[in-house]
Amino acid sequence: MDRITFNQAAARILGREHEEHGIGTLGEKTLHAVVKNYVEPDEDYHEVPLEGYVADVYRDGHIYEIQTANFNTMRGKLKTFLPLYPVTIVYPVPATKWLRWIDEETGEVTERRKSPKKGTPQAVFRELYKIKMFLKDPNLSIRILLIDMEESRLLNGWSADRKKGSCRHDRIPVELVEEYLIDCPEDYRMLIPPELEEFTSKEYAKATKLTVNRAQTALNVLHYLGVVERIGKKGNSYLYEVTD
């Protein structure tokens, strides 16, 4: 983890966006651009045509794909790239998040308020499930970035306060908090809290601050990778333990 390089990437992208669009009207993909410039500051290696696709970053025979969501859209790329190149998927996760609301009619922007929700690296499992069939490939690695960020949303939702069902406008990185690099199935052990020995999906959810549904998805992936095994049941729930 290199916070200095990350801060330089953020300053470069935010400065460019402010100059081109004006303060308060940043582009919708600021987070993606900052992370891409953090991974590779030299833009000559960005957006490289390769094997019928465009790689976010390609340098020294290695591909980096910055993906903020919707891993299912990467299946075609991964099927083509992985037999030929090492590929790292870089996934940013909001650690602490501040929210601003934008009224499109008046142009008013609220003061930022801190969200009570905290992001954890285990959030990646929701997306990894969509590309589960590629996770055992030795050419694939996952890089998780925990980032404090500011999110702006449009007041265009369906609820009375126009917040529920609203559209996200932008996410502005504030600080890089932590990084996790997964190079092989054994590395996924770092996403299992050490205090868990024999545990259910509910216990995994409590320890990782996931919902039970997302904890079940995480354990589905971990079981597929052979990182955990089912050793029985506790009530109606599977009982898991970490494999040796």
Side-chain angles (χ1 to χ4, degrees):
M1 183 173 68
D2 187 341
R3 289 193 176 95
I4 293 175
T5 300
F6 183 85
N7 291 340
Q8 289 171 343
R12 184 164 56 250
I13 294 302
L14 292 174
R16 182 185 305 167
E17 290 287 347
H18 285 173
E19 182 178 340
E20 293 179 357
H21 303 290
I23 295 174
T25 57
L26 297 177
E28 295 182 3
K29 299 180 180 179
T30 304
L31 176 63
H32 186 279
V34 169
V35 172
K36 183 164 60 177
N37 274 264
Y38 169 56
V39 169
E40 176 49 66
D42 189 338
E43 295 185 1
D44 288 343
Y45 299 100
H46 293 186
E47 307 300 325
V48 178
L50 205 62
E51 311 296 339
Y53 291 94
V54 177
D56 282 340
V57 174
Y58 177 66
R59 183 165 189 172
D60 299 331
H62 196 122
I63 294 170
Y64 297 87
E65 289 292 323
I66 290 79
Q67 198 74 14
T68 58
N70 302 320
F71 277 28
N72 52 297
T73 62
M74 301 184 65
R75 291 173 188 161
K77 275 188 173 183
L78 293 175
K79 185 176 181 180
T80 299
F81 287 161
L82 284 173
L84 303 172
Y85 310 94
V87 177
T88 298
I89 299 174
V90 186
Y91 180 61
V93 176
T96 299
K97 184 168 66 176
W98 291 268
L99 285 172
R100 291 183 188 271
W101 292 94
I102 301 172
D103 190 319
E104 292 180 281
E105 296 178 1
T106 65
E108 181 183 359
V109 181
T110 66
E111 293 293 324
R112 73 177 194 174
R113 292 188 177 181
K114 190 175 182 179
S115 170
K117 296 180 180 179
K118 292 278 189 177
T120 67
Q122 289 84 3
V124 74
F125 284 114
R126 181 186 185 187
E127 296 298 333
L128 292 182
Y129 179 79
K130 302 171 186 177
I131 57 166
K132 187 170 75 169
M133 66 290 294
F134 298 105
L135 296 182
K136 293 180 181 180
D137 194 301
N139 265 350
L140 180 64
S141 58
I142 309 295
R143 188 174 170 185
I144 307 166
L145 308 184
L146 278 181
I147 301 173
D148 288 345
M149 61 182 73
E150 183 178 294
E151 179 175 310
S152 56
R153 302 189 70 89
L154 303 177
L155 283 170
N156 61 359
W158 48 263
S159 62
D161 61 5
R162 298 185 290 169
K163 292 182 177 180
K164 291 182 180 180
S166 62
C167 297
R168 185 166 61 208
H169 175 253
D170 199 9
R171 288 190 290 181
I172 309 298
V174 175
E175 182 179 0
L176 178 62
V177 177
E178 191 59 89
E179 284 196 34
Y180 300 82
L181 180 62
I182 297 171
D183 274 329
C184 61
E186 289 75 17
D187 289 343
Y188 284 92
R189 296 174 190 271
M190 72 178 77
L191 301 182
I192 302 174
E195 67 271 19
L196 295 180
E197 296 179 0
E198 296 181 359
F199 55 94
T200 63
S201 56
K202 288 183 180 179
E203 291 163 339
Y204 183 82
K206 182 178 180 180
T208 58
K209 297 180 174 59
L210 296 176
T211 65
V212 173
N213 283 342
R214 292 192 180 181
Q216 290 170 341
T217 299
L219 291 169
N220 178 292
V221 173
L222 291 169
H223 183 257
Y224 170 77
L225 291 168
V227 178
V228 300
E229 60 183 350
R230 293 169 179 160
I231 58 172
K233 282 201 165 185
K234 185 176 180 180
N236 293 324
S237 300
Y238 283 115
L239 192 62
Y240 295 89
E241 72 174 4
V242 181
T243 56
D244 293 333

